[in-house]
Amino acid sequence: MRKLLYIFLGLVLAVGLKAQDQAQYNHYIGNQGILNPAYNGTRDVISGLIIHRSQWLGMQDAPMNQAINVHGPIEDTNLGVGVVLENDRLGFSNNFNFMGAGSYKLKMGRNQFLSLGLQVGVTSSVYDGTKAITDIYGDPMFTRKESILGFNFGIGAYYYADGYFGGFSIPRFFRPTFDEAQDNEGSFKNTVSLESLHSYWYGGYIFDWGEVKVKPTALIRTVVGAPLTFDLSCNVLLNERLWLGASYRSISEVVFLTEYIINRQWTVRYSFDYSLSKIGTFGQYGSHEIGLQFDFSFNKRAGMRSIRYF
């Protein structure tokens, strides 16, 4: 079984499993600064986020990723800036992204804004196929160690008002691909391929239902040549402190979401997702994601000047 698992993970890298070529997050609305460069600077404070995600616990060498995002507005301008650091381990591959983001905010109406964003940086990819246990002898994918450092960039747009929001992004245009040469050697190259571009479309709104607030959201991932995937989520805010919710991911996963607002400066998030497909028999302990967000201001009153639910 272990041998089959290594072969499976190796093939995931060999064919570039498009459904998860980029890291996925359960709290995608809380992690918008990582997902979309246009979100950076749209809050009225300096905001930061730290995330750790362990996927398919119980499976050896299962995917794991961490991310840090810090961003804020430039006072007395329509500009925002941010930085994103993201580390993603998948099988025999480890990808690290360092991106600097900038955004420009346009006022579209009363309390309605459109932000356009661009991020630029580098991607470091390390691949070690020698860890594979396989009967595919002589395959260059399983007989080499490779590392590559290359330029990357992404774009995004974000529209928001008091009670609703929507966004679109292509976080990264470049990705490492394996180019097999005629001599059966080949190498990894940092290239742009329209068939590999990941685009994200998402949105949601907030409304009052009795004494609680309800926040339904949706996210769609598209990759040319791969099936469309989506997340449908709904969260409820209790006592202005505790968010509880659930989500369904179209690759047959259910997600349970929690978020606790400690105060205007600190918010902690945790989620658990479990695969309903056969892969759940390997990652039998599910996937776990934890995040910590902070919001600070240089004004006399620290923290958010107005409550933001997205």
Side-chain angles (χ1 to χ4, degrees), residues 192-237:
V192 174
S193 172
L194 296 179
E195 295 182 354
S196 301
L197 289 182
H198 289 61
S199 64
Y200 297 85
W201 307 76
Y202 65 92
Y205 65 101
I206 296 178
F207 62 92
D208 293 318
W209 187 26
E211 297 182 354
V212 302
K213 291 186 180 295
V214 181
K215 180 170 62 176
T217 61
L219 179 143
I220 298 174
R221 307 175 189 84
T222 62
V223 183
V224 177
L228 179 146
T229 62
F230 62 86
D231 288 37
L232 297 176
S233 307
C234 188
N235 291 266
V236 176
L237 179 61

Side-chain angles (χ1 to χ4, degrees), residues 21-284:
D21 184 58
Q22 296 182 12
Q24 65 182 16
Y25 299 102
N26 296 331
H27 286 284
Y28 53 86
I29 298 304
N31 306 345
Q32 290 185 68
I34 298 171
L35 181 68
N36 187 349
Y39 184 80
N40 287 265
T42 59
R43 300 171 73 87
D44 59 359
V45 295
I46 297 174
S47 184
L49 182 68
I50 302 173
I51 307 169
H52 174 85
R53 176 175 171 82
S54 294
Q55 190 162 327
W56 303 332
L57 289 186
M59 177 185 293
Q60 188 170 352
D61 292 331
M64 178 186 300
N65 55 281
Q66 302 84 28
I68 298 175
N69 173 225
V70 180
H71 63 96
I74 299 178
E75 291 293 334
D76 301 321
T77 73
N78 292 330
L79 299 174
V81 293
V83 62
V84 176
L85 291 84
E86 191 172 21
N87 184 66
D88 185 22
R89 188 192 75 186
L90 176 61
F92 314 133
S93 178
N94 196 93
N95 299 318
F96 179 80
N97 299 287
F98 178 83
M99 309 290 282
S103 67
Y104 185 80
K105 184 169 61 176
L106 301 168
K107 189 170 184 178
M108 308 301 291
R110 183 179 180 183
N111 297 325
Q112 298 174 345
F113 300 91
L114 172 64
S115 177
L116 303 175
L118 170 70
Q119 63 182 14
V120 178
V122 294
T123 296
S124 170
S125 298
V126 179
Y127 169 80
D128 186 0
T130 63
K131 294 181 179 179
I133 301 174
T134 175
D135 292 331
I136 309 176
Y137 298 106
D139 190 318
M141 286 295 297
F142 302 122
T143 59
R144 67 196 307 116
K145 295 181 181 180
E146 289 272 358
S147 63
I148 184 172
L149 179 68
F151 168 78
N152 220 324
F153 74 98
I155 60 172
Y158 181 62
Y159 188 89
Y160 64 100
D162 287 339
Y164 58 91
F165 59 94
F168 162 78
S169 70
I170 302 177
R172 293 189 292 277
F173 276 81
F174 284 84
R175 68 184 293 270
T177 56
F178 185 75
D179 183 21
E180 187 172 355
Q182 293 181 354
D183 58 5
N184 205 34
E185 286 297 326
S187 62
F188 280 89
K189 296 182 179 180
N190 193 46
T191 60
V192 174
S193 172
L194 296 179
E195 295 182 354
S196 301
L197 289 182
H198 289 61
S199 64
Y200 297 85
W201 307 76
Y202 65 92
Y205 65 101
I206 296 178
F207 62 92
D208 293 318
W209 187 26
E211 297 182 354
V212 302
K213 291 186 180 295
V214 181
K215 180 170 62 176
T217 61
L219 179 143
I220 298 174
R221 307 175 189 84
T222 62
V223 183
V224 177
L228 179 146
T229 62
F230 62 86
D231 288 37
L232 297 176
S233 307
C234 188
N235 291 266
V236 176
L237 179 61
L238 306 175
N239 298 322
E240 290 292 330
R241 291 281 186 176
L242 179 64
W243 285 99
L244 295 176
S247 178
Y248 175 75
R249 187 169 293 135
S250 61
I251 55 175
S252 295
E253 288 182 346
V254 291
V255 184
F256 300 95
L257 305 161
T258 61
E259 176 179 333
Y260 183 70
I261 303 172
I262 300 173
N263 52 39
R264 287 180 179 266
Q265 289 80 46
W266 298 97
T267 300
V268 62
R269 299 184 178 98
Y270 169 77
S271 65
F272 169 80
D273 53 293
Y274 189 80
S275 177
L276 302 177
S277 64
K278 291 183 179 180
I279 203 167
T281 61
F282 297 98
Q284 54 187 321

